[in-house]
mmCIF file with all atom_site columns, all heavy atoms in Angstrom:
data_model
loop_
_atom_site.group_PDB
_atom_site.id
_atom_site.type_symbol
_atom_site.label_atom_id
_atom_site.label_alt_id
_atom_site.label_comp_id
_atom_site.label_asym_id
_atom_site.label_entity_id
_atom_site.label_seq_id
_atom_site.pdbx_PDB_ins_code
_atom_site.Cartn_x
_atom_site.Cartn_y
_atom_site.Cartn_z
_atom_site.occupancy
_atom_site.B_iso_or_equiv
_atom_site.pdbx_formal_charge
_atom_site.auth_seq_id
_atom_site.auth_comp_id
_atom_site.auth_asym_id
_atom_site.auth_atom_id
_atom_site.pdbx_PDB_model_num
ATOM 1   N N   . VAL A 1 341 ? 11.455 3.543  -39.093 1.00 98.00 ? 369 VAL A N   1
ATOM 2   C CA  . VAL A 1 341 ? 11.282 2.290  -39.847 1.00 98.00 ? 369 VAL A CA  1
ATOM 3   C C   . VAL A 1 341 ? 10.806 1.152  -38.940 1.00 98.00 ? 369 VAL A C   1
ATOM 4   O O   . VAL A 1 341 ? 10.305 0.141  -39.426 1.00 98.00 ? 369 VAL A O   1
ATOM 5   C CB  . VAL A 1 341 ? 12.596 1.827  -40.551 1.00 98.00 ? 369 VAL A CB  1
ATOM 6   C CG1 . VAL A 1 341 ? 13.112 2.895  -41.502 1.00 98.00 ? 369 VAL A CG1 1
ATOM 7   C CG2 . VAL A 1 341 ? 13.676 1.419  -39.546 1.00 98.00 ? 369 VAL A CG2 1
ATOM 8   N N   . HIS A 1 342 ? 10.957 1.302  -37.621 1.00 98.00 ? 370 HIS A N   1
ATOM 9   C CA  . HIS A 1 342 ? 10.657 0.176  -36.726 1.00 98.00 ? 370 HIS A CA  1
ATOM 10  C C   . HIS A 1 342 ? 9.163  0.120  -36.392 1.00 98.00 ? 370 HIS A C   1
ATOM 11  O O   . HIS A 1 342 ? 8.563  1.153  -36.030 1.00 98.00 ? 370 HIS A O   1
ATOM 12  C CB  . HIS A 1 342 ? 11.473 0.298  -35.437 1.00 98.00 ? 370 HIS A CB  1
ATOM 13  C CG  . HIS A 1 342 ? 12.956 0.357  -35.693 1.00 98.00 ? 370 HIS A CG  1
ATOM 14  N ND1 . HIS A 1 342 ? 13.617 -0.609 -36.425 1.00 98.00 ? 370 HIS A ND1 1
ATOM 15  C CD2 . HIS A 1 342 ? 13.903 1.273  -35.333 1.00 98.00 ? 370 HIS A CD2 1
ATOM 16  C CE1 . HIS A 1 342 ? 14.904 -0.284 -36.510 1.00 98.00 ? 370 HIS A CE1 1
ATOM 17  N NE2 . HIS A 1 342 ? 15.106 0.856  -35.862 1.00 98.00 ? 370 HIS A NE2 1
ATOM 18  N N   . PRO A 1 343 ? 8.561  -1.069 -36.495 1.00 98.00 ? 371 PRO A N   1
ATOM 19  C CA  . PRO A 1 343 ? 7.106  -1.170 -36.263 1.00 98.00 ? 371 PRO A CA  1
ATOM 20  C C   . PRO A 1 343 ? 6.673  -0.582 -34.929 1.00 98.00 ? 371 PRO A C   1
ATOM 21  O O   . PRO A 1 343 ? 5.633  0.076  -34.849 1.00 98.00 ? 371 PRO A O   1
ATOM 22  C CB  . PRO A 1 343 ? 6.835  -2.682 -36.313 1.00 98.00 ? 371 PRO A CB  1
ATOM 23  C CG  . PRO A 1 343 ? 7.933  -3.226 -37.156 1.00 98.00 ? 371 PRO A CG  1
ATOM 24  C CD  . PRO A 1 343 ? 9.136  -2.359 -36.918 1.00 98.00 ? 371 PRO A CD  1
ATOM 25  N N   . ASP A 1 344 ? 7.436  -0.796 -33.865 1.00 98.00 ? 372 ASP A N   1
ATOM 26  C CA  . ASP A 1 344 ? 6.947  -0.316 -32.575 1.00 98.00 ? 372 ASP A CA  1
ATOM 27  C C   . ASP A 1 344 ? 6.964  1.205  -32.480 1.00 98.00 ? 372 ASP A C   1
ATOM 28  O O   . ASP A 1 344 ? 6.091  1.799  -31.840 1.00 98.00 ? 372 ASP A O   1
ATOM 29  C CB  . ASP A 1 344 ? 7.747  -0.920 -31.413 1.00 98.00 ? 372 ASP A CB  1
ATOM 30  C CG  . ASP A 1 344 ? 7.091  -0.528 -30.105 1.00 98.00 ? 372 ASP A CG  1
ATOM 31  O OD1 . ASP A 1 344 ? 5.893  -0.847 -29.949 1.00 98.00 ? 372 ASP A OD1 1
ATOM 32  O OD2 . ASP A 1 344 ? 7.730  0.149  -29.281 1.00 98.00 ? 372 ASP A OD2 1
ATOM 33  N N   . VAL A 1 345 ? 7.951  1.826  -33.135 1.00 98.00 ? 373 VAL A N   1
ATOM 34  C CA  . VAL A 1 345 ? 7.970  3.301  -33.145 1.00 98.00 ? 373 VAL A CA  1
ATOM 35  C C   . VAL A 1 345 ? 6.754  3.802  -33.918 1.00 98.00 ? 373 VAL A C   1
ATOM 36  O O   . VAL A 1 345 ? 6.081  4.757  -33.525 1.00 98.00 ? 373 VAL A O   1
ATOM 37  C CB  . VAL A 1 345 ? 9.299  3.824  -33.730 1.00 98.00 ? 373 VAL A CB  1
ATOM 38  C CG1 . VAL A 1 345 ? 9.257  5.330  -33.916 1.00 98.00 ? 373 VAL A CG1 1
ATOM 39  C CG2 . VAL A 1 345 ? 10.476 3.419  -32.843 1.00 98.00 ? 373 VAL A CG2 1
ATOM 40  N N   . ARG A 1 346 ? 6.440  3.113  -34.998 1.00 98.00 ? 374 ARG A N   1
ATOM 41  C CA  . ARG A 1 346 ? 5.248  3.487  -35.783 1.00 98.00 ? 374 ARG A CA  1
ATOM 42  C C   . ARG A 1 346 ? 3.962  3.300  -34.970 1.00 98.00 ? 374 ARG A C   1
ATOM 43  O O   . ARG A 1 346 ? 3.021  4.077  -35.094 1.00 98.00 ? 374 ARG A O   1
ATOM 44  C CB  . ARG A 1 346 ? 5.164  2.622  -37.049 1.00 98.00 ? 374 ARG A CB  1
ATOM 45  C CG  . ARG A 1 346 ? 6.163  3.084  -38.062 1.00 98.00 ? 374 ARG A CG  1
ATOM 46  C CD  . ARG A 1 346 ? 6.335  2.117  -39.185 1.00 98.00 ? 374 ARG A CD  1
ATOM 47  N NE  . ARG A 1 346 ? 7.066  2.825  -40.216 1.00 98.00 ? 374 ARG A NE  1
ATOM 48  C CZ  . ARG A 1 346 ? 6.513  3.325  -41.325 1.00 98.00 ? 374 ARG A CZ  1
ATOM 49  N NH1 . ARG A 1 346 ? 5.245  3.147  -41.587 1.00 98.00 ? 374 ARG A NH1 1
ATOM 50  N NH2 . ARG A 1 346 ? 7.251  3.991  -42.185 1.00 98.00 ? 374 ARG A NH2 1
ATOM 51  N N   . ARG A 1 347 ? 3.935  2.251  -34.151 1.00 98.00 ? 375 ARG A N   1
ATOM 52  C CA  . ARG A 1 347 ? 2.745  2.040  -33.297 1.00 98.00 ? 375 ARG A CA  1
ATOM 53  C C   . ARG A 1 347 ? 2.522  3.278  -32.407 1.00 98.00 ? 375 ARG A C   1
ATOM 54  O O   . ARG A 1 347 ? 1.401  3.782  -32.294 1.00 98.00 ? 375 ARG A O   1
ATOM 55  C CB  . ARG A 1 347 ? 2.962  0.792  -32.419 1.00 98.00 ? 375 ARG A CB  1
ATOM 56  C CG  . ARG A 1 347 ? 1.835  0.504  -31.445 1.00 98.00 ? 375 ARG A CG  1
ATOM 57  C CD  . ARG A 1 347 ? 2.186  -0.650 -30.508 1.00 98.00 ? 375 ARG A CD  1
ATOM 58  N NE  . ARG A 1 347 ? 3.347  -0.369 -29.674 1.00 98.00 ? 375 ARG A NE  1
ATOM 59  C CZ  . ARG A 1 347 ? 3.334  0.363  -28.565 1.00 98.00 ? 375 ARG A CZ  1
ATOM 60  N NH1 . ARG A 1 347 ? 2.202  0.893  -28.157 1.00 98.00 ? 375 ARG A NH1 1
ATOM 61  N NH2 . ARG A 1 347 ? 4.449  0.583  -27.871 1.00 98.00 ? 375 ARG A NH2 1
ATOM 62  N N   . MET A 1 348 ? 3.616  3.784  -31.854 1.00 98.00 ? 376 MET A N   1
ATOM 63  C CA  . MET A 1 348 ? 3.471  4.950  -30.959 1.00 98.00 ? 376 MET A CA  1
ATOM 64  C C   . MET A 1 348 ? 3.064  6.194  -31.758 1.00 98.00 ? 376 MET A C   1
ATOM 65  O O   . MET A 1 348 ? 2.161  6.938  -31.362 1.00 98.00 ? 376 MET A O   1
ATOM 66  C CB  . MET A 1 348 ? 4.786  5.191  -30.199 1.00 98.00 ? 376 MET A CB  1
ATOM 67  C CG  . MET A 1 348 ? 5.093  4.066  -29.222 1.00 98.00 ? 376 MET A CG  1
ATOM 68  S SD  . MET A 1 348 ? 6.481  4.438  -28.139 1.00 98.00 ? 376 MET A SD  1
ATOM 69  C CE  . MET A 1 348 ? 7.876  3.887  -29.097 1.00 98.00 ? 376 MET A CE  1
ATOM 70  N N   . LEU A 1 349 ? 3.740  6.402  -32.882 1.00 98.00 ? 377 LEU A N   1
ATOM 71  C CA  . LEU A 1 349 ? 3.440  7.591  -33.687 1.00 98.00 ? 377 LEU A CA  1
ATOM 72  C C   . LEU A 1 349 ? 2.005  7.549  -34.217 1.00 98.00 ? 377 LEU A C   1
ATOM 73  O O   . LEU A 1 349 ? 1.297  8.562  -34.220 1.00 98.00 ? 377 LEU A O   1
ATOM 74  C CB  . LEU A 1 349 ? 4.409  7.696  -34.868 1.00 98.00 ? 377 LEU A CB  1
ATOM 75  C CG  . LEU A 1 349 ? 5.866  8.037  -34.528 1.00 98.00 ? 377 LEU A CG  1
ATOM 76  C CD1 . LEU A 1 349 ? 6.743  7.899  -35.783 1.00 98.00 ? 377 LEU A CD1 1
ATOM 77  C CD2 . LEU A 1 349 ? 5.980  9.454  -33.969 1.00 98.00 ? 377 LEU A CD2 1
ATOM 78  N N   . LEU A 1 350 ? 1.581  6.361  -34.660 1.00 98.00 ? 378 LEU A N   1
ATOM 79  C CA  . LEU A 1 350 ? 0.229  6.279  -35.218 1.00 98.00 ? 378 LEU A CA  1
ATOM 80  C C   . LEU A 1 350 ? -0.833 6.404  -34.134 1.00 98.00 ? 378 LEU A C   1
ATOM 81  O O   . LEU A 1 350 ? -1.927 6.923  -34.387 1.00 98.00 ? 378 LEU A O   1
ATOM 82  C CB  . LEU A 1 350 ? 0.068  4.978  -36.018 1.00 98.00 ? 378 LEU A CB  1
ATOM 83  C CG  . LEU A 1 350 ? 0.638  5.109  -37.431 1.00 98.00 ? 378 LEU A CG  1
ATOM 84  C CD1 . LEU A 1 350 ? 0.882  3.736  -38.063 1.00 98.00 ? 378 LEU A CD1 1
ATOM 85  C CD2 . LEU A 1 350 ? -0.290 5.936  -38.332 1.00 98.00 ? 378 LEU A CD2 1
ATOM 86  N N   . THR A 1 351 ? -0.517 5.957  -32.931 1.00 98.00 ? 379 THR A N   1
ATOM 87  C CA  . THR A 1 351 ? -1.468 6.164  -31.822 1.00 98.00 ? 379 THR A CA  1
ATOM 88  C C   . THR A 1 351 ? -1.643 7.664  -31.601 1.00 98.00 ? 379 THR A C   1
ATOM 89  O O   . THR A 1 351 ? -2.770 8.172  -31.468 1.00 98.00 ? 379 THR A O   1
ATOM 90  C CB  . THR A 1 351 ? -0.947 5.480  -30.538 1.00 98.00 ? 379 THR A CB  1
ATOM 91  O OG1 . THR A 1 351 ? -0.771 4.097  -30.806 1.00 98.00 ? 379 THR A OG1 1
ATOM 92  C CG2 . THR A 1 351 ? -1.920 5.660  -29.378 1.00 98.00 ? 379 THR A CG2 1
ATOM 93  N N   . GLN A 1 352 ? -0.519 8.377  -31.597 1.00 98.00 ? 380 GLN A N   1
ATOM 94  C CA  . GLN A 1 352 ? -0.604 9.840  -31.422 1.00 98.00 ? 380 GLN A CA  1
ATOM 95  C C   . GLN A 1 352 ? -1.385 10.472 -32.573 1.00 98.00 ? 380 GLN A C   1
ATOM 96  O O   . GLN A 1 352 ? -2.230 11.346 -32.374 1.00 98.00 ? 380 GLN A O   1
ATOM 97  C CB  . GLN A 1 352 ? 0.802  10.449 -31.399 1.00 98.00 ? 380 GLN A CB  1
ATOM 98  C CG  . GLN A 1 352 ? 1.635  10.075 -30.182 1.00 98.00 ? 380 GLN A CG  1
ATOM 99  C CD  . GLN A 1 352 ? 3.034  10.661 -30.282 1.00 98.00 ? 380 GLN A CD  1
ATOM 100 O OE1 . GLN A 1 352 ? 3.674  10.604 -31.336 1.00 98.00 ? 380 GLN A OE1 1
ATOM 101 N NE2 . GLN A 1 352 ? 3.525  11.217 -29.185 1.00 98.00 ? 380 GLN A NE2 1
ATOM 102 N N   . LYS A 1 353 ? -1.052 10.025 -33.791 1.00 98.00 ? 381 LYS A N   1
ATOM 103 C CA  . LYS A 1 353 ? -1.655 10.641 -34.972 1.00 98.00 ? 381 LYS A CA  1
ATOM 104 C C   . LYS A 1 353 ? -3.166 10.361 -35.029 1.00 98.00 ? 381 LYS A C   1
ATOM 105 O O   . LYS A 1 353 ? -3.969 11.253 -35.302 1.00 98.00 ? 381 LYS A O   1
ATOM 106 C CB  . LYS A 1 353 ? -0.954 10.106 -36.232 1.00 98.00 ? 381 LYS A CB  1
ATOM 107 C CG  . LYS A 1 353 ? -1.424 10.703 -37.540 1.00 98.00 ? 381 LYS A CG  1
ATOM 108 C CD  . LYS A 1 353 ? -0.442 10.350 -38.658 1.00 98.00 ? 381 LYS A CD  1
ATOM 109 C CE  . LYS A 1 353 ? -1.050 10.525 -40.041 1.00 98.00 ? 381 LYS A CE  1
ATOM 110 N NZ  . LYS A 1 353 ? -1.625 11.838 -40.320 1.00 98.00 ? 381 LYS A NZ  1
ATOM 111 N N   . ALA A 1 354 ? -3.535 9.120  -34.720 1.00 98.00 ? 382 ALA A N   1
ATOM 112 C CA  . ALA A 1 354 ? -4.964 8.757  -34.764 1.00 98.00 ? 382 ALA A CA  1
ATOM 113 C C   . ALA A 1 354 ? -5.735 9.552  -33.717 1.00 98.00 ? 382 ALA A C   1
ATOM 114 O O   . ALA A 1 354 ? -6.875 9.977  -33.956 1.00 98.00 ? 382 ALA A O   1
ATOM 115 C CB  . ALA A 1 354 ? -5.127 7.265  -34.528 1.00 98.00 ? 382 ALA A CB  1
ATOM 116 N N   . LEU A 1 355 ? -5.126 9.774  -32.561 1.00 98.00 ? 383 LEU A N   1
ATOM 117 C CA  . LEU A 1 355 ? -5.824 10.525 -31.511 1.00 98.00 ? 383 LEU A CA  1
ATOM 118 C C   . LEU A 1 355 ? -5.801 12.018 -31.805 1.00 98.00 ? 383 LEU A C   1
ATOM 119 O O   . LEU A 1 355 ? -6.769 12.733 -31.551 1.00 98.00 ? 383 LEU A O   1
ATOM 120 C CB  . LEU A 1 355 ? -5.198 10.218 -30.149 1.00 98.00 ? 383 LEU A CB  1
ATOM 121 C CG  . LEU A 1 355 ? -5.514 8.795  -29.641 1.00 98.00 ? 383 LEU A CG  1
ATOM 122 C CD1 . LEU A 1 355 ? -4.655 8.438  -28.442 1.00 98.00 ? 383 LEU A CD1 1
ATOM 123 C CD2 . LEU A 1 355 ? -6.996 8.644  -29.289 1.00 98.00 ? 383 LEU A CD2 1
#
Side-chain angles (χ1 to χ4, degrees):
V369 302
H370 303 305
D372 187 57
V373 172
R374 284 168 167 257
R375 177 186 62 80
M376 293 189 273
L377 290 172
L378 278 162
T379 302
Q380 292 177 316
K381 183 166 162 54
L383 288 168

